[in-house]
Amino acid sequence: MTDALIIGGGPAGLMAASELSRAGYSVVVADAKPSVGRKFLMAGKSGLNLTKDQPFDGLIKAYDTAAGPLLDIIREFDAQAVQTWAVDLGQPVFTGSSGRVFPKAMKASPLLRAWLEQLRQDRVDIRAGWRWVGFDGADVVFDTPDGRVVVTPKVTVLAMGGASWGRLGSDGKWADILADRDVPIKDFKPVNMGFRVDWSSHMTRHFGQPVKSVVLKAGTLQVSGEFVISTKGIEGGGIYAVSKPVRDGADLFIDLMPDMPLDRIRARLTHRGKASLTNHLRKALKMPPIKQALLMEFAQPLPDDLAPVIKRLPVRHSGPRPMDEAISTSGGVAWNALDKNLMLTHLPGVFCAGEMIDWDAPTGGYLITACLATGRWAGRSAVKWLQSVPDHKTDIETVPQPLE
């Protein structure tokens, strides 16, 4: 028996645990993996991007179609609040030139350690290696290293992530359990992912290299950035930023020379003489070898007028990389399955938070911000639920009225 059970030990789950424990309730956090925060730690390997330092109106637009449901949730825990939260944990932050906010330590591990120490002081009980296998009436059932365990919570917060990076804990297997309880579930889709490209042999020497200072275009979206050539295809920040429309069928184009207008490129390429095309592109446009390689890869047979294709190079690909490799996923618990407190209307006293809800966002700090914000909101709503239900019992067969 416990006041609150949190299933999932990522940012959303730990934030919910913080809110409930600070309100004076006993909290158990259960996670299927041997330790908590594994995807959080992975995100910090190349520098933990916590949020984007921008006003709320700009921040909320990043969440696209989910902006409406997330509006109040992120308004109450915006970019400034994320920064304050990190500093309060003893982890000072800084803002890069792009507006992205990082801990000064850059890594996730110092922040996670400080957070877990705070939770320990608040008497939060963290149980690793506990895999949720479903409900049994008001009980919650787990497979654990010590066998099957049944927990009887007064309130439950589900924060088990999406369906990518399964080896870190987000395998999406929880969806079938909730669907069996008639909870509306949206199909999972990859978000912020790379795309498969069947490279010709001449690209081998460029594997692992970044392509810098380009503009990527897909549908109505146009993004300045860079990406990486990998053995499997194309990936990296610029690709992730346009991945959603490309995933949904839009063609992908690259402007290899975004700082030079079409007419100037055409003029510079006019007098080639006896120079090879490679030397001509290098001398006339200062085009680096990797951009030349992409031009040769995707523009064959080369037209006489190269300028238009340099400004709008079509990228042939074979679709997204496997969903488990995506940074995040959309899909999961549908918004119409939740009330405004993030409680499942089919399962009163059971709340959802984080990436397991059907929203997506670009990289750049937006993902972690929304996970923290929804975890906080669900935790506070769970406190409200505990305070409002006289006997503090959860009957998951009864459909509740949304809390005011």
Side-chain angles (χ1 to χ4, degrees), residues 15 24 55 65 106 108 149 158 173 220 223 227 259 402:
M15 185 61 83
T65 55
M106 289 299 288
V149 171
L158 306 178
K173 293 180 180 178
T220 59
V223 175
F227 63 95
D259 296 329

Side-chain angles (χ1 to χ4, degrees), residues 337-357:
L338 302 164
D339 69 13
K340 64 182 181 181
N341 301 291
L342 298 183
M343 183 165 65
L344 290 166
T345 56
H346 280 68
L347 302 174
V350 179
F351 299 80
C352 293
E355 198 184 328
M356 65 182 294
I357 304 172

Side-chain angles (χ1 to χ4, degrees), residues 63-137:
Y63 298 94
D64 197 20
T65 55
L70 287 172
L71 190 70
D72 291 335
I73 294 172
I74 293 180
R75 192 192 306 277
E76 288 203 7
F77 200 78
D78 60 7
Q80 186 56 54
V82 172
Q83 296 175 69
T84 300
W85 164 78
V87 171
D88 287 346
L89 284 172
Q91 300 300 310
V93 298
F94 73 95
T95 302
S97 58
S98 65
R100 298 184 179 193
V101 177
F102 302 86
K104 286 190 176 178
M106 289 299 288
K107 299 178 181 179
S109 51
L111 179 58
L112 181 61
R113 282 196 300 269
W115 198 0
L116 292 178
E117 174 59 23
Q118 182 189 75
L119 293 171
R120 187 193 66 80
Q121 292 177 8
D122 290 340
R123 300 183 182 277
V124 172
D125 184 3
I126 295 179
R127 300 299 181 99
W130 282 29
R131 175 169 288 278
W132 180 47
V133 294
F135 294 111
D136 182 7

